[in-house]
Amino acid sequence: MKIEIDDEIYLSPFEEGDASSLMQCLNNPRVNSKILSVPNPYTIEDSRQFINSNSYIFTSRGNHLNYAIRNMEGNMIGSIGLELNSLLHFKHSGTVAYYVDQAYWGKNVASRALKAFLPWCIENYRFKRLTAHVFSDNPASEKVLQKCGFSFEATLKKFYLKDGEYIDTKFYSIFFD
Ligand SMILES: CC(C)(COP(=O)(O)OP(=O)(O)OC[C@H]1O[C@@H](n2cnc3c(N)ncnc32)[C@H](O)[C@@H]1OP(=O)(O)O)[C@@H](O)C(=O)NCCC(=O)NCCS
């Protein structure tokens, strides 16, 4: 299963061989500190566990929900994923999250990946809204969302607890008919 983006990057499911790139990417404090549910430090075992959990998601959901962003050599240079809501009244709504290895920042990778991922989300799940939760000290991620058509909805104060700190979080959303 491959989601085409352009002639430089594409999305495909995580593979066992991604474990060390994934660990390297998420062990960077500048990446780790902006993402909610990743252990810190991020070990090779954490990587392997995450990659294995994706096979389980595929089996239970019939779709991969987390994708590696890859360059044309097939190297994992980031990730993008979708979180579904299983409760009936929230099923029309999903959450997207992404990160890019610091070596590839500023090359439009996240924006291109998200722009390509949105149609895939809609086609597969017919969402009415997709949301991203951005820590309030992450203007680069806000910019990615704005470039992809998301708009700012609200700041939720002390919404998340990460590494012992309560974090103000900005909700960005995009809506569909
Ligand atoms: C946020 C992140 C995904 C952006 O990835 P990226 O591939 O560099 O993003 P893009 O190049 O597509 O776009 C980044 C935009 O933010 C801008 N930007 C970067 N740093 C910025 C800052 N400090 N303030 C304002 N804008 C900033 C860039 O100039 C660019 O905008 P432009 O294309 O108009 O010039 C990446 O920095 C990352 O992985 N950060 C850590 C994890 C994370 O924050 N994930 C998102 C959680 S919600």
Side-chain angles (χ1 to χ4, degrees):
M1 163 83 227
K2 184 172 174 182
I3 300 175
E4 303 282 354
I5 301 181
D6 54 33
D7 58 3
E8 289 182 348
I9 55 171
Y10 64 93
L11 307 180
S12 74
F14 279 92
E15 297 163 5
E16 280 178 25
D18 295 322
S20 95
S21 307
L22 180 61
M23 179 189 72
Q24 196 180 315
C25 177
L26 288 180
N27 242 337
N28 178 346
R30 295 186 65 190
V31 175
N32 192 300
S33 63
K34 305 292 186 227
I35 306 172
L36 187 62
S37 24
V38 290
N40 178 21
Y42 196 85
T43 66
I44 194 74
E45 262 321 299
D46 295 320
S47 265
R48 291 191 182 120
Q49 223 168 30
F50 172 77
I51 292 167
N52 287 339
S53 72
N54 281 304
S55 312
Y56 172 76
I57 292 173
F58 180 69
T59 310
S60 59
R61 296 279 189 186
N63 258 333
H64 286 283
L65 297 181
N66 294 303
Y67 288 85
I69 306 172
R70 298 189 191 280
N71 61 18
M72 286 305 163
E73 287 75 52
N75 302 319
M76 183 229 136
I77 62 167
S79 172
I80 189 158
L82 170 68
E83 193 181 317
L84 303 173
N85 284 306
S86 49
L87 291 176
L88 180 64
H89 302 297
F90 295 103
K91 272 191 167 172
H92 62 286
S93 168
T95 306
V96 289
Y98 45 80
Y99 51 82
V100 171
D101 187 288
Q102 193 179 348
Y104 296 87
W105 286 4
K107 298 177 194 296
N108 221 14
V109 169
S111 307
R112 285 184 280 162
L114 182 56
K115 272 182 198 155
F117 193 50
L118 290 177
W120 181 89
C121 293
I122 300 308
E123 206 172 291
N124 284 277
Y125 295 101
R126 299 179 187 280
F127 290 116
K128 296 297 174 200
R129 62 175 283 147
L130 278 168
T131 300
H133 303 173
V134 187
F135 296 172
S136 61
D137 62 350
N138 193 355
S141 183
E142 288 188 61
K143 192 73 189 291
V144 168
L145 293 164
Q146 288 157 4
K147 287 198 287 181
C148 292
F150 284 69
S151 45
F152 172 70
E153 284 201 282
T155 299
L156 278 72
K157 297 222 173 248
K158 298 188 189 298
F159 190 68
Y160 285 127
L161 171 64
K162 181 175 166 75
D163 299 338
E165 267 187 66
Y166 294 96
I167 299 175
D168 295 352
T169 302
K170 292 183 171 179
F171 273 47
Y172 271 83
S173 297
I174 187 167
F175 304 94
F176 305 94
D177 292 333

